[in-house]
């Protein structure tokens, strides 16, 4: 399968987290990827997009950009916003840390991303926005011998 890339800009609305999941699954379908890999990657994407919506824009209008690329079975996904930014990335990555406890946020978004992807890199500037770049080497789907 050839290398490929897509870019999607979406309004920072909670319903678009599910759109990002569907687009990700659709993008991966031709690449002979296991269902487990697709599920893991969709979950990581959902967490990153939800973080951008909930924390990046905090209820104000904004756009979340998702870029997906694949080259030689190395998947890269970038989720970007132009929101408030993250003051302290290391603190934000701590399990159970949340800036939105009133919204019953669990504080596990970055932990989930890191558990399902090979690498997660976070770049953020206050008042400018945040970009989360996640990578994963795709394993081929298992073939059941008959």
């Amino acid at each position: 399968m050839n290398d490929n890339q897509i870019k999607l800009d979406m309004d920072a609305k909670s319903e678009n987290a599910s759109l990002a999941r569907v687009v990700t699954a659709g993008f991966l379908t031709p690449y002979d990827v296991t269902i487990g890999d697709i599920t893991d990657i969709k979950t990581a994407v959902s967490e990153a997009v939800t973080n951008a919506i909930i924390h990046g824009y905090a209820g104000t209008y904004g756009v979340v950009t998702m870029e997906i690329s694949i080259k030689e079975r190395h998947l890269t996904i970038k989720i970007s916003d132009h929101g408030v930014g993250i003051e302290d990335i290391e603190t934000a990555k701590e399990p159970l840390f949340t800036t939105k406890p009133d919204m019953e946020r669990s504080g596990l978004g970055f932990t989930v991303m890191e558990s399902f992807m090979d690498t997660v890199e976070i770049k953020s500037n206050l008042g400018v926005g945040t970009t989360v770049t996640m990578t994963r080497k795709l394993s081929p789907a298992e073939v059941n011998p008959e």
Side-chain angles (χ1 to χ4, degrees):
M1 181 59 55
N2 294 332
D3 301 340
N4 196 11
Q5 64 182 0
I6 63 168
K7 181 177 180 179
L8 173 67
D9 289 332
M10 59 195 122
D11 286 345
K13 296 181 178 182
S14 59
E15 58 264 36
N16 285 336
S18 62
L19 172 65
R21 290 172 61 93
V22 170
V23 168
T24 301
F27 180 87
L28 291 171
T29 300
Y31 291 96
D32 189 31
V33 181
T34 67
I35 296 297
D37 280 350
I38 291 174
T39 300
D40 291 353
I41 294 163
K42 284 179 8 183
T43 301
V45 164
S46 183
E47 291 294 334
V49 170
T50 298
N51 274 0
I53 294 166
I54 299 293
H55 300 288
Y57 293 112
T60 62
Y61 176 78
V63 173
V64 176
T65 300
M66 179 173 73
E67 298 175 67
I68 307 174
S69 63
I70 189 165
K71 183 172 181 154
E72 298 176 8
R73 300 197 63 80
H74 290 280
L75 179 71
T76 301
I77 301 173
K78 289 184 181 183
I79 308 295
S80 306
D81 67 65
H82 298 286
V84 299
I86 300 171
E87 187 172 344
D88 184 341
I89 292 171
E90 290 309 310
T91 299
K93 289 172 57 177
E94 290 178 13
L96 305 180
F97 175 82
T98 182
T99 59
K100 303 282 186 193
D102 54 315
M103 295 181 69
E104 298 183 19
R105 308 302 304 165
S106 66
L108 293 174
F110 288 127
T111 301
V112 168
M113 288 178 237
E114 289 174 335
S115 67
F116 289 142
M117 302 300 284
D118 294 336
T119 66
V120 176
E121 178 183 303
I122 306 156
K123 292 185 178 178
S124 189
N125 292 304
L126 290 177
V128 177
T130 301
T131 298
V132 175
T133 303
M134 304 179 286
T135 65
R136 182 163 169 160
K137 174 127 174 63
L138 301 177
S139 53
E142 295 177 13
V143 177
N144 295 325
E146 294 187 23

